[in-house]
């Protein structure tokens, strides 16, 4: 790595790095972001590269330019790591100092995705510690971050807009087992086939995932298929937590307008705490909120605590939450959670359970499920493998009733409930007082 002393002009820095001193072409990255030099630009600089090759002290092609004792007021510096300033976000990542890469304020439009390689542990954060001040923009033509087998990826105080992929992950795509942290981030207006904003996908059946989403906002992201905001495909253990996060205006063509989680052999937990899901659409199932999917896995446990889900719409079933499982044991728990004003064209305006074997337990405590509607069941549709227990829960009365009913069991029995309801319904048996 080449570290240049202070006082040299920027032109000399660029020359030693083998970079052109002329202004970038329109197709290059903006002045705020020199992440990757286009092949055409590199070809234009053949003369500089040839002369550098003749010099025994010349830098290697992989060297990066670092300005010592720099800050974000230093000309052309876009990122900091330690006391060094970088002219390129990609160079700051490639230098791999094991220190957070602090991105200078402004909008950085990327011509190529930022690459994070196998085994790296990378933290990208706003230098100002304010997501509103630092934006990474995919320009509507490509992803913003791609990770292949990174050990960990932390994204903090950043805004991601305009990310696009015809595959998975419009803004961020992570492949393989990775520890992911998103803290105080905004994802807005990104799109992909799966995972409009973020996708985390397994590369084999033993990829374990740890995902933490804290104090983030997902707005108006879209997926052609699954996971309007977030998509996870994993076939091993999953430990996922979403806290103090909002999902609004996201949509998908098929399942999971907000969060979609699937895995044939998946086990583990998904905890959603102090969060909101509002005004979202799913073309088929999963409502904008969450869809869990597993085959020959389990147990898998999903818990919503102090969370609000409103105005979520599904084109077929499960306006808010769809749980679809193939023969695992599992649970869904709602604690002090509200699901209100959600709709589905056919099945279950709020929640649908649809399993193909394996016992499942649904518990709803000190919550409210009201004002939801669908053609078949206004609020909750159970299958023959699910036991439901309601404790002190408001199922709606009067104009807040679920339409046409509050609950439909596997025997097709419809129940009209009320406020502060406590009861237990075992599979294929009538509901009774708890």
């Amino acid at each position: 790595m080449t570290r240049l002393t202070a006082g040299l002009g920027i032109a000399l820095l660029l020359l030693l790095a083998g970079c052109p001193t002329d202004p970038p072409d329109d197709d290059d990255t903006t002045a705020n972001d020199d992440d990757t030099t286009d092949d055409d630009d590199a070809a234009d600089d053949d003369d500089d590269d040839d002369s550098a090759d003749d010099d025994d002290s010349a830098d290697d092609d992989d060297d990066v330019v670092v300005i010592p004792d720099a800050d974000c007021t230093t000309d052309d510096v876009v990122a900091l790591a330690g006391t060094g300033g970088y002219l390129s976000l990609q160079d700051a990542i490639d230098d791999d100092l094991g220190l957070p890469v602090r991105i200078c304020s402004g909008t950085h439009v990327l011509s190529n995705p930022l690459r994070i390689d196998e085994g790296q542990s990378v933290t990208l954060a706003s230098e100002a510690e304010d997501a509103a001040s630092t934006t990474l923009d995919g320009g509507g033509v490509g992803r913003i971050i791609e990770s292949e087998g990174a050990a960990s990826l932390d994204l903090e105080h950043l805004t991601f807009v305009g990310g696009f992929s015809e595959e998975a992950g419009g803004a961020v795509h992570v492949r393989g087992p990775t520890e992911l942290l998103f803290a105080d981030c905004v994802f807005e207006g990104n799109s992909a086939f799966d995972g409009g904003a973020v996708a985390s996908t397994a590369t084999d059946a033993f990829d374990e995932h740890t995902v933490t989403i804290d104090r983030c906002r997902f707005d108006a992201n879209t997926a052609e298929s699954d996971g309007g905001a977030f998509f996870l495909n994993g076939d091993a253990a999953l430990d996922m937590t979403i806290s103090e996060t909002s999902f609004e205006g996201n949509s998908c063509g098929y399942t999971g307008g907000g969060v979609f989680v699937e895995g044939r052999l998946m086990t583990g937990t998904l905890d959603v705490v102090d969060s909101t899901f509002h005004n979202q659409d799913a073309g088929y199932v999963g409502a904008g909120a969450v869809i869990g999917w597993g085959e020959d896995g389990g147990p898998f446990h999903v818990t919503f605590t102090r969370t609000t889900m409103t105005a979520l719409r599904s084109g077929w079933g499960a306006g808010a939450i769809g749980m679809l499982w193939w023969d695992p044991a599992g649970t869904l728990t709602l604690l002090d959670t509200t699901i209100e004003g959600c709709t589905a064209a056919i099945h279950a305006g709020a929640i649908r359970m649809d399993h193909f074997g394996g016992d499942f337990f649904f518990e709803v405590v000190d919550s409210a499920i009201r004002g939801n509607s669908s053609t078949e069941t206004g609020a909750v549709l159970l299958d023959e493998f699910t036991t439901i227990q309601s404790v002190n829960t408001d199922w709606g009365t009067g104009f807040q009733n679920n339409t046409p009913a509050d609950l439909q069991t596997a025997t097709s029995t419809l129940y009209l409930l009320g406020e502060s309801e406590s009861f237990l319904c075992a599979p294929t048996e009538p509901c009774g007082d708890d």
Side-chain angles (χ1 to χ4, degrees), residues 107-114 134-145 158-166 169-172 186-192 195-198 217-222 228 250:
T107 297
H108 304 269
V109 182
L110 307 182
S111 60
N112 293 283
L114 299 175
T134 308
T135 298
L136 301 181
D137 188 347
V141 296
R143 289 194 190 107
I144 297 171
I145 295 176
L158 296 169
T159 294
F160 297 83
V161 301
F164 170 78
S165 173
E166 294 182 349
V172 178
V186 176
F187 294 86
E188 184 171 1
N190 304 284
S191 61
V198 178
R217 199 175 82 232
F218 292 82
D219 293 345
N221 303 285
T222 60
N250 304 289

mmCIF file of all heavy atoms in Angstrom, residues 107-114 134-145 158-166 169-172 186-192 195-198 217-222 228 250:
data_model
loop_
_atom_site.group_PDB
_atom_site.id
_atom_site.type_symbol
_atom_site.label_atom_id
_atom_site.label_comp_id
_atom_site.label_asym_id
_atom_site.label_seq_id
_atom_site.Cartn_x
_atom_site.Cartn_y
_atom_site.Cartn_z
ATOM 1 N N THR A 107 -23.993 13.079 -1.588
ATOM 2 C CA THR A 107 -24.584 12.003 -2.377
ATOM 3 C C THR A 107 -23.508 11.417 -3.277
ATOM 4 O O THR A 107 -22.949 12.112 -4.118
ATOM 5 C CB THR A 107 -25.764 12.511 -3.213
ATOM 6 O OG1 THR A 107 -26.788 12.987 -2.335
ATOM 7 C CG2 THR A 107 -26.332 11.401 -4.085
ATOM 8 N N HIS A 108 -23.227 10.136 -3.088
ATOM 9 C CA HIS A 108 -22.198 9.439 -3.850
ATOM 10 C C HIS A 108 -22.903 8.532 -4.855
ATOM 11 O O HIS A 108 -23.506 7.520 -4.488
ATOM 12 C CB HIS A 108 -21.320 8.613 -2.919
ATOM 13 C CG HIS A 108 -20.685 9.421 -1.814
ATOM 14 N ND1 HIS A 108 -19.463 10.013 -1.933
ATOM 15 C CD2 HIS A 108 -21.140 9.744 -0.574
ATOM 16 C CE1 HIS A 108 -19.160 10.656 -0.813
ATOM 17 N NE2 HIS A 108 -20.174 10.516 0.025
ATOM 18 N N VAL A 109 -22.851 8.908 -6.120
ATOM 19 C CA VAL A 109 -23.490 8.130 -7.184
ATOM 20 C C VAL A 109 -22.475 7.110 -7.704
ATOM 21 O O VAL A 109 -21.379 7.477 -8.142
ATOM 22 C CB VAL A 109 -23.977 9.035 -8.323
ATOM 23 C CG1 VAL A 109 -24.678 8.203 -9.396
ATOM 24 C CG2 VAL A 109 -24.917 10.106 -7.791
ATOM 25 N N LEU A 110 -22.853 5.839 -7.660
ATOM 26 C CA LEU A 110 -21.925 4.769 -8.019
ATOM 27 C C LEU A 110 -22.128 4.326 -9.455
ATOM 28 O O LEU A 110 -23.262 4.124 -9.898
ATOM 29 C CB LEU A 110 -22.126 3.565 -7.096
ATOM 30 C CG LEU A 110 -22.084 3.835 -5.589
ATOM 31 C CD1 LEU A 110 -22.248 2.534 -4.835
ATOM 32 C CD2 LEU A 110 -20.792 4.520 -5.201
ATOM 33 N N SER A 111 -21.018 4.170 -10.175
ATOM 34 C CA SER A 111 -21.099 3.597 -11.517
ATOM 35 C C SER A 111 -20.930 2.090 -11.482
ATOM 36 O O SER A 111 -21.275 1.392 -12.432
ATOM 37 C CB SER A 111 -20.028 4.204 -12.429
ATOM 38 O OG SER A 111 -18.741 3.946 -11.928
ATOM 39 N N ASN A 112 -20.393 1.560 -10.371
ATOM 40 C CA ASN A 112 -20.239 0.121 -10.165
ATOM 41 C C ASN A 112 -20.518 -0.187 -8.694
ATOM 42 O O ASN A 112 -20.252 0.645 -7.824
ATOM 43 C CB ASN A 112 -18.823 -0.341 -10.515
ATOM 44 C CG ASN A 112 -18.522 -0.207 -11.988
ATOM 45 O OD1 ASN A 112 -18.963 -1.003 -12.813
ATOM 46 N ND2 ASN A 112 -17.756 0.821 -12.334
ATOM 47 N N PRO A 113 -21.021 -1.391 -8.386
ATOM 48 C CA PRO A 113 -21.271 -1.726 -6.986
ATOM 49 C C PRO A 113 -19.976 -1.758 -6.176
ATOM 50 O O PRO A 113 -18.913 -2.123 -6.692
ATOM 51 C CB PRO A 113 -21.894 -3.127 -7.063
ATOM 52 C CG PRO A 113 -22.366 -3.286 -8.465
ATOM 53 C CD PRO A 113 -21.438 -2.466 -9.314
ATOM 54 N N LEU A 114 -20.063 -1.402 -4.918
ATOM 55 C CA LEU A 114 -18.955 -1.597 -4.003
ATOM 56 C C LEU A 114 -18.828 -3.091 -3.711
ATOM 57 O O LEU A 114 -19.817 -3.745 -3.396
ATOM 58 C CB LEU A 114 -19.194 -0.832 -2.704
ATOM 59 C CG LEU A 114 -19.329 0.689 -2.830
ATOM 60 C CD1 LEU A 114 -19.695 1.297 -1.486
ATOM 61 C CD2 LEU A 114 -18.048 1.305 -3.372
ATOM 62 N N THR A 134 -25.653 11.459 4.329
ATOM 63 C CA THR A 134 -24.776 10.636 3.489
ATOM 64 C C THR A 134 -25.605 9.622 2.721
ATOM 65 O O THR A 134 -26.227 8.734 3.318
ATOM 66 C CB THR A 134 -23.733 9.913 4.352
ATOM 67 O OG1 THR A 134 -23.067 10.861 5.190
ATOM 68 C CG2 THR A 134 -22.701 9.214 3.482
ATOM 69 N N THR A 135 -25.608 9.736 1.403
ATOM 70 C CA THR A 135 -26.425 8.895 0.534
ATOM 71 C C THR A 135 -25.547 8.149 -0.461
ATOM 72 O O THR A 135 -24.665 8.738 -1.096
ATOM 73 C CB THR A 135 -27.450 9.741 -0.233
ATOM 74 O OG1 THR A 135 -28.338 10.368 0.709
ATOM 75 C CG2 THR A 135 -28.270 8.887 -1.186
ATOM 76 N N LEU A 136 -25.803 6.855 -0.610
ATOM 77 C CA LEU A 136 -25.208 6.045 -1.666
ATOM 78 C C LEU A 136 -26.302 5.770 -2.692
ATOM 79 O O LEU A 136 -27.352 5.216 -2.354
ATOM 80 C CB LEU A 136 -24.651 4.737 -1.103
ATOM 81 C CG LEU A 136 -23.567 4.876 -0.024
ATOM 82 C CD1 LEU A 136 -23.087 3.504 0.427
ATOM 83 C CD2 LEU A 136 -22.403 5.712 -0.518
ATOM 84 N N ASP A 137 -26.061 6.157 -3.933
ATOM 85 C CA ASP A 137 -27.086 6.154 -4.983
ATOM 86 C C ASP A 137 -26.662 5.222 -6.108
ATOM 87 O O ASP A 137 -25.596 5.396 -6.713
ATOM 88 C CB ASP A 137 -27.259 7.589 -5.500
ATOM 89 C CG ASP A 137 -28.425 7.731 -6.461
ATOM 90 O OD1 ASP A 137 -28.957 6.709 -6.932
ATOM 91 O OD2 ASP A 137 -28.805 8.881 -6.744
ATOM 92 N N GLY A 138 -27.497 4.215 -6.385
ATOM 93 C CA GLY A 138 -27.222 3.305 -7.483
ATOM 94 C C GLY A 138 -27.636 3.836 -8.832
ATOM 95 O O GLY A 138 -27.407 3.175 -9.858
ATOM 96 N N GLY A 139 -28.258 5.014 -8.867
ATOM 97 C CA GLY A 139 -28.631 5.625 -10.131
ATOM 98 C C GLY A 139 -29.692 4.876 -10.906
ATOM 99 O O GLY A 139 -29.945 5.163 -12.076
ATOM 100 N N GLY A 140 -30.338 3.886 -10.263
ATOM 101 C CA GLY A 140 -31.380 3.121 -10.939
ATOM 102 C C GLY A 140 -30.859 2.123 -11.947
ATOM 103 O O GLY A 140 -31.643 1.534 -12.700
ATOM 104 N N VAL A 141 -29.534 1.876 -11.968
ATOM 105 C CA VAL A 141 -28.957 0.998 -12.990
ATOM 106 C C VAL A 141 -28.176 -0.176 -12.408
ATOM 107 O O VAL A 141 -27.812 -1.094 -13.148
ATOM 108 C CB VAL A 141 -28.040 1.790 -13.939
ATOM 109 C CG1 VAL A 141 -28.836 2.831 -14.708
ATOM 110 C CG2 VAL A 141 -26.897 2.450 -13.177
ATOM 111 N N GLY A 142 -27.897 -0.178 -11.103
ATOM 112 C CA GLY A 142 -27.119 -1.273 -10.543
ATOM 113 C C GLY A 142 -27.203 -1.312 -9.028
ATOM 114 O O GLY A 142 -27.711 -0.390 -8.386
ATOM 115 N N ARG A 143 -26.686 -2.412 -8.470
ATOM 116 C CA ARG A 143 -26.611 -2.532 -7.020
ATOM 117 C C ARG A 143 -25.660 -1.504 -6.435
ATOM 118 O O ARG A 143 -24.795 -0.960 -7.112
ATOM 119 C CB ARG A 143 -26.128 -3.921 -6.626
ATOM 120 C CG ARG A 143 -27.105 -5.048 -6.857
ATOM 121 C CD ARG A 143 -26.619 -6.286 -6.107
ATOM 122 N NE ARG A 143 -27.400 -7.469 -6.480
ATOM 123 C CZ ARG A 143 -26.960 -8.457 -7.248
ATOM 124 N NH1 ARG A 143 -25.729 -8.388 -7.722
ATOM 125 N NH2 ARG A 143 -27.731 -9.479 -7.528
ATOM 126 N N ILE A 144 -25.785 -1.316 -5.124
ATOM 127 C CA ILE A 144 -24.893 -0.405 -4.419
ATOM 128 C C ILE A 144 -23.773 -1.175 -3.719
ATOM 129 O O ILE A 144 -22.606 -0.768 -3.761
ATOM 130 C CB ILE A 144 -25.692 0.446 -3.421
ATOM 131 C CG1 ILE A 144 -26.705 1.312 -4.197
ATOM 132 C CG2 ILE A 144 -24.778 1.322 -2.571
ATOM 133 C CD1 ILE A 144 -27.693 2.029 -3.321
ATOM 134 N N ILE A 145 -24.089 -2.313 -3.096
ATOM 135 C CA ILE A 145 -23.091 -3.137 -2.412
ATOM 136 C C ILE A 145 -23.311 -4.601 -2.774
ATOM 137 O O ILE A 145 -24.437 -5.095 -2.741
ATOM 138 C CB ILE A 145 -23.179 -2.969 -0.883
ATOM 139 C CG1 ILE A 145 -22.818 -1.545 -0.473
ATOM 140 C CG2 ILE A 145 -22.249 -3.959 -0.170
ATOM 141 C CD1 ILE A 145 -22.986 -1.274 1.014
ATOM 142 N N LEU A 158 -26.534 5.481 7.078
ATOM 143 C CA LEU A 158 -26.425 5.682 5.639
ATOM 144 C C LEU A 158 -27.799 5.601 4.983
ATOM 145 O O LEU A 158 -28.688 4.894 5.458
ATOM 146 C CB LEU A 158 -25.510 4.626 5.011
ATOM 147 C CG LEU A 158 -24.041 4.631 5.441
ATOM 148 C CD1 LEU A 158 -23.345 3.377 4.934
ATOM 149 C CD2 LEU A 158 -23.337 5.887 4.934
ATOM 150 N N THR A 159 -27.961 6.329 3.866
ATOM 151 C CA THR A 159 -29.164 6.242 3.050
ATOM 152 C C THR A 159 -28.822 5.583 1.719
ATOM 153 O O THR A 159 -27.829 5.938 1.080
ATOM 154 C CB THR A 159 -29.760 7.636 2.804
ATOM 155 O OG1 THR A 159 -30.217 8.176 4.049
ATOM 156 C CG2 THR A 159 -30.935 7.576 1.844
ATOM 157 N N PHE A 160 -29.657 4.621 1.302
ATOM 158 C CA PHE A 160 -29.451 3.893 0.055
ATOM 159 C C PHE A 160 -30.645 4.162 -0.864
ATOM 160 O O PHE A 160 -31.788 3.852 -0.503
ATOM 161 C CB PHE A 160 -29.345 2.390 0.321
ATOM 162 C CG PHE A 160 -28.175 2.001 1.181
ATOM 163 C CD1 PHE A 160 -28.256 2.085 2.566
ATOM 164 C CD2 PHE A 160 -26.997 1.545 0.611
ATOM 165 C CE1 PHE A 160 -27.182 1.726 3.370
ATOM 166 C CE2 PHE A 160 -25.918 1.187 1.405
ATOM 167 C CZ PHE A 160 -25.999 1.280 2.780
ATOM 168 N N VAL A 161 -30.378 4.713 -2.030
ATOM 169 C CA VAL A 161 -31.450 5.007 -2.984
ATOM 170 C C VAL A 161 -31.030 4.533 -4.374
ATOM 171 O O VAL A 161 -29.838 4.418 -4.674
ATOM 172 C CB VAL A 161 -31.784 6.515 -3.032
ATOM 173 C CG1 VAL A 161 -32.225 7.034 -1.672
ATOM 174 C CG2 VAL A 161 -30.604 7.326 -3.554
ATOM 175 N N GLY A 162 -32.022 4.269 -5.219
ATOM 176 C CA GLY A 162 -31.756 3.999 -6.630
ATOM 177 C C GLY A 162 -31.003 2.731 -6.918
ATOM 178 O O GLY A 162 -30.440 2.577 -8.007
ATOM 179 N N GLY A 163 -30.969 1.778 -5.966
ATOM 180 C CA GLY A 163 -30.329 0.502 -6.244
ATOM 181 C C GLY A 163 -31.225 -0.366 -7.106
ATOM 182 O O GLY A 163 -32.452 -0.357 -6.970
ATOM 183 N N PHE A 164 -30.617 -1.134 -8.006
ATOM 184 C CA PHE A 164 -31.417 -1.936 -8.940
ATOM 185 C C PHE A 164 -30.685 -3.230 -9.284
ATOM 186 O O PHE A 164 -29.465 -3.242 -9.481
ATOM 187 C CB PHE A 164 -31.698 -1.176 -10.233
ATOM 188 C CG PHE A 164 -32.304 -2.039 -11.314
ATOM 189 C CD1 PHE A 164 -33.643 -2.379 -11.277
ATOM 190 C CD2 PHE A 164 -31.524 -2.539 -12.351
ATOM 191 C CE1 PHE A 164 -34.201 -3.191 -12.253
ATOM 192 C CE2 PHE A 164 -32.070 -3.347 -13.335
ATOM 193 C CZ PHE A 164 -33.410 -3.681 -13.289
ATOM 194 N N SER A 165 -31.442 -4.324 -9.338
ATOM 195 C CA SER A 165 -30.903 -5.595 -9.813
ATOM 196 C C SER A 165 -32.008 -6.404 -10.466
ATOM 197 O O SER A 165 -33.141 -6.417 -9.977
ATOM 198 C CB SER A 165 -30.284 -6.397 -8.666
ATOM 199 O OG SER A 165 -29.900 -7.690 -9.111
ATOM 200 N N GLU A 166 -31.666 -7.083 -11.554
ATOM 201 C CA GLU A 166 -32.612 -8.005 -12.167
ATOM 202 C C GLU A 166 -32.648 -9.330 -11.423
ATOM 203 O O GLU A 166 -33.453 -10.205 -11.747
ATOM 204 C CB GLU A 166 -32.246 -8.233 -13.628
ATOM 205 C CG GLU A 166 -32.401 -6.992 -14.490
ATOM 206 C CD GLU A 166 -32.069 -7.245 -15.946
ATOM 207 O OE1 GLU A 166 -31.523 -8.342 -16.244
ATOM 208 O OE2 GLU A 166 -32.353 -6.375 -16.780
ATOM 209 N N GLY A 169 -31.635 -8.391 -4.389
ATOM 210 C CA GLY A 169 -30.979 -7.305 -3.677
ATOM 211 C C GLY A 169 -30.740 -6.074 -4.517
ATOM 212 O O GLY A 169 -29.704 -5.936 -5.160
ATOM 213 N N GLY A 170 -31.701 -5.141 -4.511
ATOM 214 C CA GLY A 170 -31.535 -3.930 -5.305
ATOM 215 C C GLY A 170 -30.430 -3.037 -4.794
ATOM 216 O O GLY A 170 -29.595 -2.547 -5.564
ATOM 217 N N ALA A 171 -30.382 -2.809 -3.478
ATOM 218 C CA ALA A 171 -29.335 -1.972 -2.889
ATOM 219 C C ALA A 171 -28.167 -2.807 -2.387
ATOM 220 O O ALA A 171 -27.008 -2.484 -2.631
ATOM 221 C CB ALA A 171 -29.901 -1.122 -1.754
ATOM 222 N N VAL A 172 -28.455 -3.885 -1.651
ATOM 223 C CA VAL A 172 -27.417 -4.702 -1.032
ATOM 224 C C VAL A 172 -27.729 -6.171 -1.286
ATOM 225 O O VAL A 172 -28.845 -6.629 -1.037
ATOM 226 C CB VAL A 172 -27.342 -4.449 0.487
ATOM 227 C CG1 VAL A 172 -26.286 -5.349 1.131
ATOM 228 C CG2 VAL A 172 -27.054 -2.986 0.785
ATOM 229 N N VAL A 186 -31.496 4.166 5.978
ATOM 230 C CA VAL A 186 -32.702 4.395 5.191
ATOM 231 C C VAL A 186 -32.519 3.720 3.837
ATOM 232 O O VAL A 186 -31.497 3.905 3.171
ATOM 233 C CB VAL A 186 -32.968 5.901 4.994
ATOM 234 C CG1 VAL A 186 -34.182 6.118 4.076
ATOM 235 C CG2 VAL A 186 -33.180 6.587 6.336
ATOM 236 N N PHE A 187 -33.516 2.915 3.445
ATOM 237 C CA PHE A 187 -33.542 2.298 2.120
ATOM 238 C C PHE A 187 -34.805 2.792 1.420
ATOM 239 O O PHE A 187 -35.915 2.498 1.855
ATOM 240 C CB PHE A 187 -33.572 0.774 2.235
ATOM 241 C CG PHE A 187 -32.320 0.181 2.815
ATOM 242 C CD1 PHE A 187 -32.163 0.065 4.189
ATOM 243 C CD2 PHE A 187 -31.293 -0.261 1.995
ATOM 244 C CE1 PHE A 187 -31.020 -0.479 4.740
ATOM 245 C CE2 PHE A 187 -30.136 -0.802 2.526
ATOM 246 C CZ PHE A 187 -29.999 -0.908 3.900
ATOM 247 N N GLU A 188 -34.619 3.527 0.346
ATOM 248 C CA GLU A 188 -35.774 4.155 -0.312
ATOM 249 C C GLU A 188 -35.651 4.050 -1.823
ATOM 250 O O GLU A 188 -34.620 4.378 -2.414
ATOM 251 C CB GLU A 188 -35.868 5.621 0.095
ATOM 252 C CG GLU A 188 -37.095 6.330 -0.452
ATOM 253 C CD GLU A 188 -37.289 7.717 0.123
ATOM 254 O OE1 GLU A 188 -36.448 8.149 0.955
ATOM 255 O OE2 GLU A 188 -38.281 8.374 -0.237
ATOM 256 N N GLY A 189 -36.726 3.557 -2.454
ATOM 257 C CA GLY A 189 -36.806 3.553 -3.906
ATOM 258 C C GLY A 189 -35.832 2.610 -4.581
ATOM 259 O O GLY A 189 -35.365 2.899 -5.687
ATOM 260 N N ASN A 190 -35.538 1.467 -3.950
ATOM 261 C CA ASN A 190 -34.694 0.447 -4.574
ATOM 262 C C ASN A 190 -35.579 -0.666 -5.145
ATOM 263 O O ASN A 190 -36.705 -0.863 -4.693
ATOM 264 C CB ASN A 190 -33.724 -0.130 -3.536
ATOM 265 C CG ASN A 190 -32.888 0.941 -2.877
ATOM 266 O OD1 ASN A 190 -31.940 1.460 -3.461
ATOM 267 N ND2 ASN A 190 -33.234 1.303 -1.640
ATOM 268 N N SER A 191 -35.051 -1.415 -6.112
ATOM 269 C CA SER A 191 -35.883 -2.455 -6.735
ATOM 270 C C SER A 191 -35.026 -3.619 -7.219
ATOM 271 O O SER A 191 -33.852 -3.449 -7.568
ATOM 272 C CB SER A 191 -36.690 -1.879 -7.903
ATOM 273 O OG SER A 191 -35.828 -1.378 -8.907
ATOM 274 N N ALA A 192 -35.647 -4.811 -7.225
ATOM 275 C CA ALA A 192 -34.960 -6.026 -7.671
ATOM 276 C C ALA A 192 -36.006 -7.090 -7.959
ATOM 277 O O ALA A 192 -37.200 -6.901 -7.715
ATOM 278 C CB ALA A 192 -33.985 -6.519 -6.608
ATOM 279 N N GLY A 195 -36.133 -9.144 -3.015
ATOM 280 C CA GLY A 195 -35.468 -8.246 -2.079
ATOM 281 C C GLY A 195 -35.222 -6.880 -2.683
ATOM 282 O O GLY A 195 -34.102 -6.544 -3.070
ATOM 283 N N GLY A 196 -36.276 -6.070 -2.752
ATOM 284 C CA GLY A 196 -36.143 -4.775 -3.406
ATOM 285 C C GLY A 196 -35.012 -3.937 -2.861
ATOM 286 O O GLY A 196 -34.272 -3.296 -3.611
ATOM 287 N N ALA A 197 -34.817 -3.950 -1.529
ATOM 288 C CA ALA A 197 -33.724 -3.200 -0.916
ATOM 289 C C ALA A 197 -32.547 -4.101 -0.582
ATOM 290 O O ALA A 197 -31.412 -3.813 -0.961
ATOM 291 C CB ALA A 197 -34.206 -2.487 0.348
ATOM 292 N N VAL A 198 -32.792 -5.199 0.150
ATOM 293 C CA VAL A 198 -31.717 -6.054 0.661
ATOM 294 C C VAL A 198 -32.063 -7.509 0.412
ATOM 295 O O VAL A 198 -33.203 -7.936 0.621
ATOM 296 C CB VAL A 198 -31.501 -5.830 2.167
ATOM 297 C CG1 VAL A 198 -30.415 -6.764 2.698
ATOM 298 C CG2 VAL A 198 -31.138 -4.380 2.461
ATOM 299 N N ARG A 217 -35.308 2.531 8.269
ATOM 300 C CA ARG A 217 -36.539 2.866 7.554
ATOM 301 C C ARG A 217 -36.466 2.297 6.148
ATOM 302 O O ARG A 217 -35.482 2.518 5.437
ATOM 303 C CB ARG A 217 -36.723 4.378 7.510
ATOM 304 C CG ARG A 217 -38.149 4.801 7.203
ATOM 305 C CD ARG A 217 -38.321 6.302 7.285
ATOM 306 N NE ARG A 217 -37.887 6.960 6.058
ATOM 307 C CZ ARG A 217 -37.040 7.965 6.000
ATOM 308 N NH1 ARG A 217 -36.492 8.451 7.097
ATOM 309 N NH2 ARG A 217 -36.708 8.507 4.843
ATOM 310 N N PHE A 218 -37.500 1.545 5.768
ATOM 311 C CA PHE A 218 -37.611 0.985 4.423
ATOM 312 C C PHE A 218 -38.847 1.597 3.770
ATOM 313 O O PHE A 218 -39.974 1.307 4.185
ATOM 314 C CB PHE A 218 -37.748 -0.531 4.480
ATOM 315 C CG PHE A 218 -36.511 -1.259 4.950
ATOM 316 C CD1 PHE A 218 -36.238 -1.380 6.307
ATOM 317 C CD2 PHE A 218 -35.634 -1.830 4.044
ATOM 318 C CE1 PHE A 218 -35.108 -2.048 6.745
ATOM 319 C CE2 PHE A 218 -34.496 -2.506 4.474
ATOM 320 C CZ PHE A 218 -34.234 -2.612 5.827
ATOM 321 N N ASP A 219 -38.649 2.427 2.759
ATOM 322 C CA ASP A 219 -39.756 3.140 2.122
ATOM 323 C C ASP A 219 -39.756 2.894 0.618
ATOM 324 O O ASP A 219 -38.721 3.067 -0.054
ATOM 325 C CB ASP A 219 -39.647 4.651 2.358
ATOM 326 C CG ASP A 219 -39.849 5.043 3.808
ATOM 327 O OD1 ASP A 219 -40.338 4.215 4.589
ATOM 328 O OD2 ASP A 219 -39.499 6.186 4.166
ATOM 329 N N ALA A 220 -40.915 2.498 0.082
ATOM 330 C CA ALA A 220 -41.159 2.472 -1.367
ATOM 331 C C ALA A 220 -40.133 1.649 -2.129
ATOM 332 O O ALA A 220 -39.698 2.023 -3.221
ATOM 333 C CB ALA A 220 -41.214 3.898 -1.912
ATOM 334 N N ASN A 221 -39.740 0.501 -1.570
ATOM 335 C CA ASN A 221 -38.910 -0.454 -2.288
ATOM 336 C C ASN A 221 -39.813 -1.499 -2.941
ATOM 337 O O ASN A 221 -40.890 -1.804 -2.425
ATOM 338 C CB ASN A 221 -37.921 -1.123 -1.332
ATOM 339 C CG ASN A 221 -37.038 -0.114 -0.623
ATOM 340 O OD1 ASN A 221 -36.109 0.438 -1.206
ATOM 341 N ND2 ASN A 221 -37.328 0.141 0.653
ATOM 342 N N THR A 222 -39.365 -2.061 -4.048
ATOM 343 C CA THR A 222 -40.224 -2.992 -4.780
ATOM 344 C C THR A 222 -39.450 -4.234 -5.217
ATOM 345 O O THR A 222 -38.272 -4.152 -5.573
ATOM 346 C CB THR A 222 -40.832 -2.331 -6.032
ATOM 347 O OG1 THR A 222 -39.785 -1.909 -6.914
ATOM 348 C CG2 THR A 222 -41.685 -1.137 -5.661
ATOM 349 N N GLY A 228 -40.509 -7.311 -0.767
ATOM 350 C CA GLY A 228 -40.458 -5.945 -1.284
ATOM 351 C C GLY A 228 -39.329 -5.131 -0.695
ATOM 352 O O GLY A 228 -38.661 -4.361 -1.396
ATOM 353 N N ASN A 250 -43.781 -0.352 0.721
ATOM 354 C CA ASN A 250 -43.051 -1.370 -0.030
ATOM 355 C C ASN A 250 -44.040 -2.326 -0.685
ATOM 356 O O ASN A 250 -45.173 -2.482 -0.230
ATOM 357 C CB ASN A 250 -42.116 -2.136 0.911
ATOM 358 C CG ASN A 250 -41.161 -1.217 1.644
ATOM 359 O OD1 ASN A 250 -40.241 -0.663 1.055
ATOM 360 N ND2 ASN A 250 -41.390 -1.037 2.941
#
